[in-house]
Structure formats: C-alpha cells, structure tokens
Amino acid sequence: TQLLEQSPQFLSIQEGENLTVYCNSSSVFSSLQWYRQEPGEGPVLLVTVVTGGEVKKLKRLTFQFGDARKDSSLHITAAQTGDTGLYLCAGERNRDDKIIFGKGTRLHILP
Amino acid sequence: NAGVTQTPKFRILKIGQSMTLQCAQDMNHNYMYWYRQDPGMGLKLIYYSVGAGITDKGEVPNGYNVSRSTTEDFPLRLELAAPSQTSVYFCASSPLGPGSNEQFFGPGTRLTVL
C-alpha cells in the first residue's frame, strides 16, 4: 500500500499552459515536502508545508496543504521547459517519524 | 562547500560480489540517510543515522549494512550482491530530524547487478 499517492503519474503539456499535480493520503501528516528531481541528479527541496490550509508560492509554483493535512497540491502557472522533471512529495506522520516518499509525477513541458 | 558527495557514480557487480558505496557531507549535519530509487518508484529508506556511532534500519534494510564512525561519512555496504539490488542509490543529510528541515541529496550511485 502506497501511503502517499501522487497523480498523475505522467504529464506532458505545452509551454505556457497551467497544470496541477496532487499528493494524497488517507493519513494525516505533520508536514509535507515537495522535491524536484532532474535526470541524473538527486532531489532538491522546493518547499515544506506544515499548517493545514497553508499556501506557499515560489515564483510560478503554488503549493497548498489540505485543511485536514492529508493532501497537497502543486500548481504551476505558465509552465516553462525548465520545469521538466520528476516532482516528489514526501511527508512525516509524526514529528520524529521517518519521511515517506510518493512515487512522483514525471512532468514534461514541450517547447 | 561540496555538499553531499557520493562515489562511485556507476558500478556493475556480479551476483555474490560485495562493495561499499561511499557518502560524505561537509555541512556538519547530524542526520544522514541512504535511499534506493527504482524505476517508476519513489525513494525507499534503507538505513539512517542520527549521529556518529548511531544507525537504524529504514523500510528496506535487508542485504545492506552501514556504519557511522564520523559525522562526515556514512558508507553503505552490500555483502552479497543480488539482481534485486539493481537500483539508483541516494545518500542525503539534514541538520535536524526528518520533516523539520531540508534533506540535501547527493548525485546518486547507479548500481547494476548481473
């Protein structure tokens, strides 16, 4: 059973379009993180959300933590080819718990 | 700062061989982790360490061993390589515990067992 379900698994869209990817669970998480991973490299942290309903913006990327702290979304406005990569969500259910990773959404932005 | 470094970048092993994947960090982080990433899957935690001399099992520890004699180094040992251990291995470190702070990842070691 995958504790963190990410959807869609793959997404290919044209440059300039908007998109949203999701990270869902039946469990409550004390925090969720979003990472981006490019081919041949390790993941790099984009954001951490800790409060239910929290919204964080990172330039064209908007992250939201669900009110019940069971899900999160990542919205990209006017996607660019540089946004191409694997987006991983990760979370911990309790403060000192180990981080659990989802399988990721592989995003491909077409020029 | 070099951050987290891993060696080698690539390795091919025969079944039954052994090897050590090296990981070092120069950020003075207490926490260090080893993950494996299989195609289409997320990261699975193999072992982690909360400080020098302290290690603990993660989700998929079987077939692996670790040691943490210094703050900087956290090597991962494969004793009897099996095809199921073909994967990309990532080492990571963080200044505090999981979730409360950022994990910094190395570039990975791509291991093939034939």
Side-chain angles (χ1 to χ4, degrees), chain A residues 8-52:
Chain A
Q9 195 174 352
F10 302 97
L11 183 59
S12 182
I13 65 169
Q14 291 292 139
E15 195 171 27
E17 294 184 1
N18 302 332
L19 66 105
T20 303
V21 298
Y22 301 92
C23 176
N24 295 308
S25 178
S26 57
S27 299
V28 175
F29 283 81
S30 61
S31 69
L32 274 180
Q33 298 179 328
W34 284 92
Y35 289 81
R36 179 167 66 211
Q37 184 179 17
E38 299 191 18
E41 298 181 10
V44 176
L45 181 71
L46 296 173
V47 77
T48 300
V49 286
V50 297
T51 305

Side-chain angles (χ1 to χ4, degrees), chain A residues 2 9 31 33 35 37 40-45 48 50 86 88 92 94-104 106, chain B residues 31 35 37 40-45 48 56-59 90 96-108 110:
Chain A
Q2 188 70 22
Q9 195 174 352
S31 69
Q33 298 179 328
Y35 289 81
Q37 184 179 17
E41 298 181 10
V44 176
L45 181 71
T48 300
V50 297
L86 178 66
L88 296 161
E92 59 167 1
N94 302 302
R95 177 139 183 89
D96 293 322
D97 208 354
K98 293 174 282 294
I99 282 190
I100 300 164
F101 280 83
K103 293 183 180 181
R106 192 165 295 280
Chain B
Y31 284 73
Y35 294 91
Q37 186 176 37
M41 305 293 288
L43 294 158
K44 301 281 189 185
L45 182 65
Y48 68 102
D56 208 347
K57 295 178 181 179
E59 186 181 355
F90 289 99
L96 298 175
S100 57
N101 216 318
E102 177 177 358
Q103 289 195 25
F104 294 80
F105 285 82
R110 185 175 296 275

Side-chain angles (χ1 to χ4, degrees), chain A residues 51-63:
Chain A
T51 305
E54 182 176 5
V55 176
K56 282 192 174 179
K57 289 183 184 289
L58 186 66
K59 296 184 181 178
R60 295 173 295 99
L61 278 61
T62 302
F63 304 85

